Amino acid sequence: MTRDEIIAKASDNLNDAGYFYTPTDFSDSVQDAYDEIISLALCKPAATRIDIAANKSYYDLPTLISDFVALRGIYNSRNKRWLTPKTPRWMDAQRDDWELQIGEPEFFSVYNFRYCAIYPKLSATAANVLWVFYYSSADTLIGSSTPNLPSVRGDEAIEFYATADLFEQAEEWVKAQEYYEQYIERFNEIELYRNTLRLPDYVDGLR
């Protein structure tokens, strides 16, 4: 379904004839639903190239990649090898000053929701070397656009979220709870679908 078709269904659920809710109310609730599902269920894989900066170990991925949500993996196109994921404790166990070691990057470690470290680091800048595979945020829906989610369940999840959100704004708590529970049920099905998905480009459980 398109965004406008989902809005029409939510409007039917609310029995709204256009007197209480505005078109902006509906579009905002639908967009909020789409943003949450895409970000929490990690439904939108993407990839882009970034530069390796000289003598740099830590990379602020959300700053480098505007729609970044979560990291999937990193591929080094210089030596055609995937970087191996490691924990921060493993990095510290290699040597106390591992951030100073120069060499071809072989490992990466996620430190928080922003920063990722590579080890070793290059002493000179290399342009467009690292392929970053990641999950991206949702795009902005317009009237004729279709959400990038599993058919039916994805559309229903957005519909039920928007309905619950708008009932809550009207302080119709019982009705909002009913639709929110249906949203959670559809969201869990979407998450299960995503977790069992397998594609040829997945490496060592990368998904």
Side-chain angles (χ1 to χ4, degrees), residues 50-54 59 76 78 104-105 118 122 124-130:
I50 65 171
D51 300 343
I52 294 181
Y59 291 80
N76 186 346
R78 279 166 55 103
E104 194 68 37
I118 62 170
L122 292 181
T125 298
N128 294 324
V129 167
L130 293 182

Side-chain angles (χ1 to χ4, degrees), residues 12-30:
D12 289 342
N13 296 338
L14 294 158
N15 195 24
D16 181 70
Y19 301 111
F20 188 79
Y21 300 105
T22 67
T24 300
D25 292 331
F26 281 102
S27 60
D28 286 350
S29 290
V30 166

Side-chain angles (χ1 to χ4, degrees), residues 35-156:
D35 290 342
E36 177 169 301
I37 295 168
I38 289 291
S39 296
L40 296 183
L42 303 175
C43 293
K44 193 179 176 188
T48 190
R49 285 187 178 187
I50 65 171
D51 300 343
I52 294 181
N55 297 305
K56 186 173 183 178
S57 296
Y58 296 94
Y59 291 80
D60 184 354
L61 294 180
T63 298
L64 295 171
I65 306 170
S66 61
D67 61 348
F68 178 87
V69 172
L71 184 62
R72 300 172 64 209
I74 302 176
Y75 180 77
N76 186 346
S77 62
R78 279 166 55 103
N79 59 7
K80 296 181 173 54
R81 296 183 62 180
W82 289 91
L83 272 63
T84 304
K86 296 294 183 180
T87 64
R89 178 176 294 181
W90 183 92
M91 303 281 265
D92 291 336
Q94 302 314 297
R95 48 187 284 183
D96 292 338
D97 60 347
W98 63 265
E99 292 100 332
L100 302 179
Q101 184 170 336
I102 301 297
E104 194 68 37
E106 296 182 31
F107 309 97
F108 76 90
S109 181
V110 175
Y111 277 75
N112 54 37
F113 71 98
R114 297 193 67 90
Y115 287 97
C116 171
I118 62 170
Y119 167 71
K121 63 182 178 181
L122 292 181
S123 60
T125 298
N128 294 324
V129 167
L130 293 182
W131 273 101
V132 178
F133 291 79
Y134 65 102
Y135 289 106
S136 67
S137 57
D139 51 324
T140 301
L141 296 174
I142 60 174
S144 60
S145 58
T146 302
N148 183 23
L149 291 171
S151 180
V152 181
R153 292 311 191 198
D155 296 338
E156 289 179 346

Side-chain angles (χ1 to χ4, degrees), residues 192-207:
L192 178 63
Y193 171 83
R194 206 286 303 176
N195 287 339
T196 55
L197 189 64
R198 294 291 184 273
L199 292 177
D201 66 337
Y202 292 165
V203 176
D204 296 332
L206 177 65
R207 62 169 184 242

Side-chain angles (χ1 to χ4, degrees), residues 166-179:
L166 294 170
F167 266 135
E168 186 176 302
Q169 293 179 32
E171 299 185 1
E172 294 277 3
W173 311 119
V174 175
K175 295 177 182 178
Q177 181 66 26
E178 175 187 344
Y179 279 97

